[in-house]
């Protein structure tokens, strides 16, 4: 896997985050497809950063990604405070749409892996309405348990035989990043972990209003929607992130 060296990047806690926009993110994905280096892309938010902070093995997976985009506003602010005032948010669901638009234009087949069968059906319909020329080479809703060795091999064979060059993975963090790291060496495709984007674009889960997103309050909207599932992720991880990143900034500014 070829890692980017000419795009500004900083470590937020232990996670390497690239300072880039949608166009440059696609350029790196397209170059990896064209050059046959492939690999996988991570879309980073506070949850991912904190999961990596506590789990050394997962941290390694994140930092070996072809590209790691700042999906959450706290990471955008972090990049700005660490010396990159030009940093912008590269929001996962919007990056997925941008990649679909470019894949349709460049006739690169895509594959959808993750979520539920009914969600994938709606997702396909909505994507093809928006991008009529998009080639969806295949879809798969995996079991919620860990796949058997035979199932994992069958999935890789299905993706390879489909001819897909870009695989959108919607399993949620950290499951999707672990899946990508395990399967990427066996696939001639770039894998991109897009998390909840499948549900958003299928219309099964609503996104936060646009006005909330630049304020960094999208987490609150999602917490109110799914409090039992998300309270730990947002309340505990967000609090720990504020303390730890605050300490990182203090150490950096100390003489």
């Amino acid at each position: 896997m070829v890692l980017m060296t000419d795009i500004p990047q900083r470590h937020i806690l232990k996670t390497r985050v690239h300072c880039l926009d949608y166009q440059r993110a696609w350029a790196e994905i397209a170059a990896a497809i064209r050059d046959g280096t492939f690999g996988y892309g991570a879309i980073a938010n506070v949850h991912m950063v904190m999961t990596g902070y506590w789990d050394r093995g997962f941290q390694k997976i994140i930092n070996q990604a072809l590209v790691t985009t700042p999906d959450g506003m706290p990471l955008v602010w972090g990049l700005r405070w660490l010396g990159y005032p030009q940093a912008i948010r590269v929001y996962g669901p919007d990056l997925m749409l941008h990649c679909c638009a470019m894949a349709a234009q460049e006739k690169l087949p895509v594959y959808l892996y993750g979520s539920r069968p009914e969600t994938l059906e709606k997702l396909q319909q909505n994507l093809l309405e928006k991008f009529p020329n998009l080639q969806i080479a295949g879809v798969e809703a995996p079991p919620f348990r860990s796949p058997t060795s035979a199932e994992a091999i069958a999935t890789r064979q299905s993706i390879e035989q489909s001819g897909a060059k870009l695989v959108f993975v919607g399993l949620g963090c950290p499951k999707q990043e672990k899946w990508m790291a395990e399967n990427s060496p066996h696939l001639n495709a770039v894998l991109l972990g897009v998390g909840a984007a499948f549900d958003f674009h299928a219309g099964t889960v609503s996104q936060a209003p646009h006005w909330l997103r630049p304020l960094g309050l999208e987490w609150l909207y999602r917490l109110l929607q799914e409090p039992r599932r998300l309270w730990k992720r947002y309340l505990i991880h967000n609090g720990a992130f504020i303390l730890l990143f605050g300490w990182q900034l203090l150490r950096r500014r100390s003489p």
Side-chain angles (χ1 to χ4, degrees):
M1 184 185 306
V2 178
L3 301 178
M4 296 185 296
T5 57
D6 61 336
I7 293 181
Q9 56 185 272
R10 279 288 188 266
H11 278 79
I12 295 180
L13 302 187
K14 299 177 182 179
T15 297
R16 182 195 59 183
V17 182
H18 293 103
C19 180
L20 75 178
D21 57 17
Y22 294 98
Q23 291 74 25
R24 187 59 192 269
W26 171 255
E28 294 299 325
I29 291 170
I33 294 172
R34 182 182 62 249
D35 299 341
T37 53
F38 302 115
Y40 57 90
I43 296 173
N45 54 21
V46 168
H47 176 228
M48 182 181 291
V49 169
M50 292 309 303
T51 302
Y53 185 85
W54 304 120
D55 183 337
R56 183 178 299 181
F58 183 67
Q59 187 68 71
K60 184 177 180 180
I61 287 173
I62 303 170
N63 289 347
Q64 287 182 335
L66 171 71
V67 58
T68 302
T69 72
D71 171 78
M73 282 306 299
L75 302 194
V76 177
W77 297 328
L79 287 173
R80 293 173 183 172
W81 291 330
L82 291 172
Y84 294 116
Q86 75 275 25
I88 65 169
R89 186 184 190 191
V90 181
Y91 179 49
D94 287 351
L95 178 60
M96 180 178 177
L97 293 182
H98 182 77
C99 289
C100 284
M102 297 307 298
Q105 180 179 314
E106 299 185 21
K107 295 181 173 56
L108 294 172
V110 306
Y111 198 99
L112 307 173
Y113 181 81
S115 196
R116 304 172 183 268
E118 57 272 21
T119 299
L120 287 179
E121 183 177 353
K122 294 176 182 178
L123 177 60
Q124 287 185 85
Q125 293 173 356
N126 292 345
L127 289 178
L128 291 174
E129 285 180 10
K130 189 178 291 287
F131 309 107
N133 295 325
L134 180 65
Q135 301 176 39
I136 300 179
V139 302
E140 182 177 343
F144 284 95
R145 56 170 171 76
S146 298
T148 65
S149 297
E151 288 171 337
I153 292 171
T155 293
R156 291 196 290 264
Q157 290 176 340
S158 177
I159 294 172
E160 280 294 283
Q161 291 170 4
S162 76
K165 294 302 175 186
L166 175 59
V167 180
F168 294 110
V169 184
L171 299 176
C173 173
K175 186 176 180 180
Q176 67 192 11
E177 287 74 29
K178 293 179 179 179
W179 186 90
M180 291 191 297
E182 179 180 351
N183 288 277
S184 179
H186 306 286
L187 296 171
N188 292 313
V190 170
L191 315 180
L192 186 62
V194 296
F198 280 22
D199 291 314
F200 292 159
H201 296 318
T204 56
V205 174
S206 63
Q207 297 187 64
H210 283 281
W211 64 269
L212 271 180
R213 298 177 196 174
L215 301 176
L217 294 176
E218 189 173 6
W219 67 272
L220 180 59
Y221 181 84
R222 293 200 64 199
L223 177 61
L224 292 174
Q225 285 185 310
E226 301 180 82
R228 288 190 177 183
R229 187 174 74 86
L230 297 176
W231 74 269
K232 181 177 180 180
R233 173 190 300 187
Y234 289 131
L235 298 185
I236 295 180
H237 283 181
N238 287 11
F241 176 82
I242 291 170
L243 292 174
L244 291 167
F245 186 64
W247 178 242
Q248 178 180 340
L249 290 177
L250 284 174
R251 286 187 301 166
R252 183 172 183 268
R253 293 173 181 175
S254 297

